[in-house]
Amino acid sequence: MAERRFDGFVPGRYQLDAFGAGGFRFADMSHRGSILATPSGIRIWPVTSFAQVTLASLQPVLDEAETIDFLILGIGHDIAFLPPALRDSFKAAGITVEAMATPAAARTYNVLVGEERRVAAALIAID
């Protein structure tokens, strides 16, 4: 089957088939850049560094808060701590946030999707 180009949003829950080289592969598609995966689907996420992670950039997760228990945040190669205001906003919505390097985040997301857990992932692309 030929791989299709990802053009912004694909509805449904999918595990990630591959990551790295600046992007991700999922649902027989590939995308160069970061992605945001929620129970409703996977969308382009216009974030390229941890400094760009804001409440506004993560709003689609909050919009689906009633279907999400965990947000896995892949922050690139480095490890950083979420600002308390960001973490508190998700806690108030009933969502636990875990930030980790993107490779670990992608693997964790796949495990949780495979277990049919209520998870979302915001993943910054890495080379």
Side-chain angles (χ1 to χ4, degrees):
M1 177 184 286
E3 191 169 85
R4 299 176 290 151
R5 187 180 162 282
F6 177 59
D7 57 3
F9 180 78
V10 60
R13 288 176 47 110
Y14 300 94
Q15 288 186 317
L16 304 174
D17 299 321
F19 58 89
F24 299 88
R25 206 167 49 238
F26 52 89
D28 296 322
M29 292 182 236
S30 63
H31 170 66
R32 284 195 56 80
S34 302
I35 59 171
L36 184 61
T38 63
S40 69
I42 298 177
R43 63 184 45 85
I44 291 173
W45 192 41
V47 170
T48 59
S49 71
F50 181 67
Q52 296 175 331
V53 177
T54 64
L55 198 55
S57 75
L58 294 168
Q59 188 60 48
V61 177
L62 291 172
D63 291 345
E64 294 184 44
E66 70 282 350
T67 64
I68 299 169
D69 295 327
F70 302 101
L71 170 61
I72 306 300
L73 184 55
I75 58 174
H77 287 294
D78 299 321
I79 299 299
F81 293 100
L82 287 180
L86 190 64
R87 186 176 298 279
D88 292 347
S89 295
F90 282 92
K91 184 177 181 179
I95 299 172
T96 300
V97 181
E98 293 294 331
M100 58 192 78
T102 296
R107 289 188 296 270
T108 301
Y109 173 76
N110 277 348
V111 168
L112 295 175
V113 168
E115 293 175 352
E116 297 185 13
R117 303 282 296 274
R118 294 165 33 109
V119 64
L123 304 170
I124 297 172
I126 58 169
D127 289 323

